Amino acid sequence: MATINDIPDVILSNIFASISDTRTRNSLSLVSRKFMLLDRATRVSLTLRGNARDLFMIPTCFRSVSDLDLSFLSPWGHPLLSSPLSDTDPQLLAHRLRVAFPAVTSLTVYARSPLTIKILVQQWPGLKRVKLVRWHQRLASWPIGEDFVCLLEQCENLNWLDLSTFYYWTEDLPPVLQACPKVSASLVHLNLLTTSFAEGFKSQEIKEITTACPNLKNFLVACNFDPRYIGFVGDETLLAVANNCPKLTLLHLADTSSLTDVRGDPDNEGFTSEDAMVTKGTLVEFFSGLPLLQELVLDVGRNVRDTSMALEMLNSKCKDLRVLKLGQFHGICLANESQLDGIALCSGLEELSIKNCGDLTDMGLIAIGRGCSKLSRFEVQGCKRITEKGLRTMACLLRNTLVKVKISCCKNLDAAASLRSVEPIRDRIQWLHIDCVWNGWEEIGNSEPVGLSFWHNQVEEPSSLFSLMGSEYDHEMRRKKCKYSSDVSDGYILENNGFWCKKWDRLQYLSLWIGVSELLTPLAAAGLLNCPNLEEIRIKVEGDCRGRSKPSERAFGLSSLALYPRLSKMQLDCSETIGYALTAPSGQMDLSLWERFFLNGIGELRLSELDYWPPQDRDVNHRSLSLPAAGLLAECLELRKLFIHGTAHEHFMMFLLKIPNLRDVQLREDYYPAPENDMSTEMRAGSCSRFEAALNRRHILD
């Protein structure tokens, strides 16, 4: 009987080469020695971990690797080629890397200084793709463009450059692009969506960049649309982008205010005090100049009014458009009558995000559901006039395609209403974000068991909205309602207490926003009780702890997530939780006590991977793991990977050695500005190295 080992090596090599998922390849390499050798011979992408000073640990068996990531080497954030603990010549380390990986054409590296870039590009002058990472400040003593001169001068084949997580000055880049016209003209991807910018690129700088790079296909840039600032982006800049780069297929123009992951004011009706200097006529001309667009993001941050007509032209001028995100656009879909208008005419869209649209109504949502029938992902944020009825009807219309939904900062959509609004796709949805706003959750959880009667009552609502759109759509809605009603028991399970419970069969990823004083425990009562396939959850905790009294409950509620049997990955982001890092005023809690509140009960979850962002004290730029947090994290006995996005004392980190199978731990200061010089034991290179040495000395059972 033939086995897989009887397949010729050439065919097996092609099979291995077609597998891009890292976890799958890792598993295959453990099957047999033959599979291990095939994996090494065909792997083209690799992320290096470990300490940069350990030259003997650099693997030499991956000769086919063309995509190399050096940005996670330890100690993280320290100069890669000048370790303070090693007398190794920087040129020697770079040479060893080139010998081990001779085929590299794509490089990602944490470049603390221009010296790192200069030395590495000498080793691989044939680089085509480069991503630079730096969260530390750019020194004022460096000449303008110092980070980019050697890169563009020596890498003549460069066509892809990503600076989205690299801190620099906006005036650094345009002169270098203009000084290297050959390389600039060959660039097809340029990502300047740098989140650490305060003001972003000015209008003149964007014109210079697009003039120097006429063949760009992907262009992402952070800028400023506020007309009160010098160099704001308006009509003239938009037309310059379209005229200078007509081959664009992906374009992101985002105001710097929209890049912060902070929830807006829930009482704001969606309109800002200032209007952007972007007119309807300019938008039409802008869309006409970019016929190849497939993905467009215009997150303006200032009012762009009466855009319905311009968006109708978007459908006719950009026929390949599949992804669209609009921020602060108003009048996108008027929905006055049964005839479709505005964005609802963009029938080819597969992903749509609407942010801070002050006049979007339920009827607009229904029109979008009718017209954009291919949507697989829909995000709505900061739209105050939409309700559960409109979103639920839209979900009914898109039942066959919609699998990813984000509902955030919508005044009429709390957690329970958001979950009810996606009820028609509950058996299909795979990715979901909601805000944990618990208005009246006690009634939802206690007044009536969530069951068949509730479901039947709710399914009646959309038809009344559809009747407003005409008899044809009312008939269609009734047909769908009958179909859902006949299969009502398919998505429900009968609990031991005799009550019916909603089942989210395919939900794999859940994202939650929650205020600092709220609890997580009502989540199940709001409707997310049974998620048998939920694997990953992200929780964003936001708010100011200063001035708040001690919480009435002992724990935030992480232990309540133990009811999800397959949950193994968590991102707990408390980075926007503000408090006192040192001594708090009398009667208030400092951040260490708040961390105890947030992390209490995390040991009851069976997590294998955890990303944790500690809360911060902005006054002293302090984000550090506290003693209670270290002790509670040490209770996660099944953890394999732990990444702490902040600092920590060395003796606190030693608590983590109690986790038996913990294999990968790293402190990452991936926020701006990352601390430059730590006078304590936090994040010192020696401290990190000693902890990693102790971690690696342990015997891992598997």
Side-chain angles (χ1 to χ4, degrees):
M1 180 178 178
T3 65
I4 193 171
N5 288 318
D6 298 321
I7 299 177
D9 289 349
V10 176
I11 298 178
L12 269 180
S13 297
N14 291 332
I15 293 174
F16 269 77
S18 66
I19 300 173
S20 58
D21 182 66
T22 302
R23 294 177 181 275
T24 304
R25 293 191 68 104
N26 291 344
S27 300
L28 284 173
S29 66
L30 298 175
V31 172
S32 65
R33 180 174 177 81
K34 180 179 180 180
F35 278 30
M36 179 189 70
L37 295 175
L38 281 171
D39 170 59
R40 291 178 173 179
T42 59
R43 190 176 288 239
V44 295
S45 180
L46 190 68
T47 299
L48 275 191
R49 287 284 285 108
N51 201 302
R53 66 176 180 168
D54 297 330
L55 297 181
F56 66 94
M57 295 291 288
I58 297 177
T60 58
C61 52
F62 297 99
R63 310 289 293 178
S64 299
V65 166
S66 59
D67 182 6
L68 182 62
D69 189 346
L70 302 177
S71 62
F72 295 116
L73 287 174
S74 295
W76 189 93
H78 289 266
L80 172 63
L81 300 177
S82 55
S83 173
L85 296 182
S86 176
D87 297 328
T88 304
D89 183 359
Q91 295 284 354
L92 176 59
L93 173 57
H95 175 73
R96 288 294 304 273
L97 289 170
R98 182 182 63 82
V99 171
F101 307 104
V104 169
T105 58
S106 175
L107 179 66
T108 303
V109 61
Y110 195 101
R112 182 78 175 263
S113 69
L115 177 64
T116 300
I117 304 172
K118 182 177 180 180
I119 294 178
L120 287 178
V121 297
Q122 292 174 352
Q123 307 302 319
W124 295 293
L127 285 174
K128 297 179 180 179
R129 300 163 63 99
V130 172
K131 179 177 181 179
L132 300 179
V133 182
R134 180 170 69 206
W135 292 97
H136 291 82
Q137 298 186 56
R138 176 204 186 280
L139 297 185
S141 59
W142 296 341
I144 293 294
E146 181 74 4
D147 288 307
F148 309 120
V149 170
C150 57
L151 178 63
L152 270 69
E153 286 182 348
Q154 299 190 34
C155 300
E156 296 183 354
N157 298 324
L158 188 69
N159 59 30
W160 195 97
L161 181 60
D162 188 343
L163 304 176
S164 59
T165 53
F166 184 75
Y167 181 74
Y168 57 104
W169 294 347
T170 57
E171 55 264 35
D172 282 328
L173 188 60
V176 181
L177 291 174
Q178 293 172 329
C180 303
K182 182 179 178 181
V183 176
S184 299
S186 66
L187 286 176
V188 296
H189 178 101
L190 185 59
N191 189 343
L192 308 179
L193 211 60
T194 309
T195 57
S196 55
F197 282 156
E199 297 182 6
F201 282 89
K202 292 180 171 58
S203 174
Q204 183 60 34
E205 293 168 338
I206 294 177
K207 294 176 186 177
E208 293 173 356
I209 291 171
T210 53
T211 301
C213 308
N215 295 311
L216 283 177
K217 294 183 179 180
N218 301 339
F219 183 45
L220 306 89
V221 61
C223 50
N224 196 323
F225 285 90
D226 192 337
R228 296 173 296 180
Y229 283 78
I230 297 175
F232 71 91
V233 171
D235 287 345
E236 185 180 353
T237 312
L238 292 182
L239 295 179
V241 171
N243 293 331
N244 294 336
C245 303
K247 300 178 183 179
L248 284 173
T249 59
L250 182 152
L251 176 61
H252 287 210
L253 294 173
D255 190 89
T256 51
S257 63
S258 68
L259 298 179
T260 56
D261 189 18
V262 178
R263 191 173 187 262
D265 182 3
D267 296 325
N268 186 350
E269 293 299 324
F271 294 94
T272 59
S273 58
E274 299 288 335
D275 288 357
M277 300 299 288
V278 177
T279 61
K280 295 179 288 186
T282 296
L283 286 176
V284 172
E285 191 174 349
F286 176 66
F287 298 149
S288 301
L290 298 171
L292 303 179
L293 271 184
Q294 298 176 14
E295 180 173 338
L296 174 63
V297 174
L298 291 174
D299 201 344
V300 178
R302 299 294 180 274
N303 301 321
V304 182
R305 302 177 185 269
D306 304 322
T307 59
S308 176
M309 184 188 71
L311 293 175
E312 291 178 9
M313 298 301 295
L314 178 63
N315 176 58
S316 60
K317 300 299 182 181
C318 306
K319 297 183 181 298
D320 296 329
L321 190 67
R322 297 294 178 264
V323 181
L324 178 63
K325 179 177 180 180
L326 300 175
Q328 219 68 47
F329 274 57
H330 309 295
I332 62 175
C333 185
L334 302 179
N336 290 328
E337 299 178 359
S338 59
Q339 185 175 359
L340 299 178
D341 69 286
I343 200 174
L345 291 176
C346 299
S347 56
L349 287 180
E350 297 175 1
E351 298 184 16
L352 175 62
S353 175
I354 302 173
K355 180 180 178 182
N356 295 333
C357 181
D359 53 7
L360 181 66
T361 63
D362 287 344
M363 300 307 297
L365 286 180
I366 295 171
I368 293 172
R370 290 169 50 206
C372 305
S373 57
K374 299 179 181 178
L375 283 182
S376 62
R377 182 182 185 126
F378 179 68
E379 299 182 0
V380 60
Q381 179 176 348
C383 299
K384 312 300 182 182
R385 299 181 63 184
I386 63 174
T387 68
E388 173 189 340
K389 291 184 178 181
L391 195 54
R392 183 185 178 92
T393 306
M394 181 186 187
C396 286
L397 288 165
L398 298 173
R399 174 174 166 77
N400 293 329
T401 59
L402 193 60
V403 294
K404 296 182 179 180
V405 177
K406 177 180 179 179
I407 307 167
S408 179
C409 205
C410 297
K411 183 169 60 175
N412 300 316
L413 291 167
D414 58 16
S418 297
L419 292 173
R420 290 196 301 268
S421 68
V422 296
E423 180 74 18
I425 57 172
R426 176 179 38 77
D427 59 335
R428 298 179 53 84
I429 193 167
Q430 301 172 11
W431 190 102
L432 176 64
H433 171 93
I434 62 171
D435 291 346
C436 294
V437 179
W438 309 121
N439 296 331
W441 72 267
E442 294 88 351
E443 288 77 10
I444 297 171
N446 301 327
S447 63
E448 179 184 359
V450 179
L452 294 180
S453 60
F454 170 80
W455 196 91
H456 281 299
N457 291 336
Q458 291 297 322
V459 83
E460 295 292 339
E461 295 174 350
S463 61
S464 61
L465 289 172
F466 257 85
S467 62
L468 298 176
M469 304 301 294
S471 59
E472 176 185 351
Y473 303 107
D474 182 62
H475 173 74
E476 176 68 12
M477 186 58 199
R478 292 180 186 279
R479 183 186 66 79
K480 291 188 175 185
K481 184 184 70 173
C482 293
K483 174 184 175 183
Y484 301 150
S485 300
S486 63
D487 297 331
V488 69
S489 63
D490 291 349
Y492 289 74
I493 61 171
L494 189 63
E495 295 289 291
N496 294 332
N497 56 14
F499 294 146
W500 289 93
C501 172
K502 302 177 195 178
K503 186 176 181 182
W504 303 74
D505 286 304
R506 301 187 183 180
L507 186 62
Q508 298 176 357
Y509 181 97
L510 177 63
S511 174
L512 304 172
W513 176 94
I514 187 167
V516 70
S517 60
E518 300 289 342
L519 299 178
L520 199 59
T521 46
L523 185 62
L528 276 176
L529 179 61
N530 191 275
C531 304
N533 294 306
L534 182 63
E535 297 179 354
E536 184 171 357
I537 189 169
R538 176 180 176 86
I539 303 172
K540 174 80 171 182
V541 185
E542 182 182 332
D544 195 338
C545 300
R546 297 170 296 187
R548 294 184 183 271
S549 57
K550 182 179 179 181
S552 57
E553 299 291 333
R554 181 171 174 267
F556 172 57
L558 288 181
S559 60
S560 64
L561 303 178
L563 57 88
Y564 305 127
R566 299 191 62 181
L567 183 63
S568 60
K569 304 175 191 174
M570 176 181 287
Q571 300 174 51
L572 181 57
D573 186 354
C574 302
S575 60
E576 294 300 330
T577 301
I578 314 301
Y580 299 104
L582 304 175
T583 304
S586 177
Q588 298 187 32
M589 301 197 307
D590 61 25
L591 287 181
S592 65
L593 297 180
W594 279 104
E595 279 196 281
R596 174 182 291 170
F597 169 71
F598 292 136
L599 291 172
N600 211 326
I602 196 172
E604 299 179 30
L605 307 180
R606 304 186 63 181
L607 298 177
S608 60
E609 297 184 18
L610 175 62
D611 280 78
Y612 176 59
W613 287 259
Q616 62 167 313
D617 186 335
R618 288 180 177 171
D619 293 338
V620 293
N621 191 29
H622 184 91
R623 303 190 193 192
S624 182
L625 190 73
S626 65
L627 176 60
L632 290 167
L633 290 177
E635 295 179 2
C636 300
L637 299 181
E638 298 192 23
L639 269 186
R640 307 276 292 184
K641 296 183 178 182
L642 173 61
F643 303 115
I644 299 170
H645 301 263
T647 64
H649 290 280
E650 180 180 353
H651 54 287
F652 291 174
M653 294 293 291
M654 291 300 177
F655 285 18
L656 304 178
L657 298 178
K658 299 176 182 178
I659 304 176
N661 290 320
L662 189 63
R663 300 188 63 175
D664 195 0
V665 184
Q666 195 168 49
L667 297 176
R668 299 174 181 171
E669 298 169 290
D670 48 0
Y671 54 89
Y672 180 82
E676 289 290 340
N677 299 304
D678 289 300
M679 301 307 293
S680 66
T681 57
E682 294 184 354
M683 289 299 290
R684 286 184 178 176
S687 302
C688 294
S689 298
R690 284 191 293 271
F691 170 75
E692 289 181 350
L695 186 68
N696 294 332
R697 282 196 300 267
R698 302 182 313 149
H699 175 67
I700 305 296
L701 296 178
D702 58 351

